[in-house]
Amino acid sequence: MDNKIIGLIAVIGSSIGTIAYALFVEGAAGGFGNFLSIPSFGIVVGVGGGFTYMRKHTLKKKQIGAALKDDFILAGWIGCIMGFILMGAGAGLEGGLDNLGGGLSASIVTVLYGYMLGPIVEAFMNE
């Protein structure tokens, strides 16, 4: 269990450190808030968890972590597509084409969540 905690701290620490470096040293636009999205988290956990739960009866106990990982990643891409649809329908383009980057980055956050949460959940679910 110790290696899982140390690995989790390394993942979170290096991710936050990289974002902080890009924002404060390199002067990248935006802030930490660009990486936080409750709807994106809800899509990844809700849709991914739902997919795994639907086929739970076909999985062995040791396969659930791997299935969750795959389904979280899939849900991240589904959330990204949903964001593109909303962006194309105008929900993400209130400011015209000048706001396209903001809508695009909000859509991509679900993919990031899927790829970050998937391996973490798999590591903690597998014995």
Side-chain angles (χ1 to χ4, degrees), residues 51-100:
F51 283 161
T52 302
Y53 189 76
M54 283 191 298
R55 58 192 176 102
K56 183 180 175 189
H57 65 281
T58 65
L59 301 170
K60 295 178 183 165
K61 186 174 181 176
K62 292 187 176 196
Q63 295 174 320
I64 293 178
L68 273 171
K69 174 187 153 191
D70 293 342
D71 290 340
F72 279 0
I73 292 170
L74 176 62
W77 283 107
I78 290 171
C80 182
I81 293 168
M82 292 168 68
F84 288 165
I85 292 168
L86 290 171
M87 193 172 60
L93 295 175
E94 290 96 17
L97 291 178
D98 295 335
N99 199 24
L100 184 62

Side-chain angles (χ1 to χ4, degrees), residues 89-121:
L93 295 175
E94 290 96 17
L97 291 178
D98 295 335
N99 199 24
L100 184 62
L104 183 61
S105 67
S107 296
I108 299 293
V109 168
T110 57
V111 178
L112 174 68
Y113 284 179
Y115 276 107
M116 292 292 285
L117 289 175
I120 291 170
V121 168

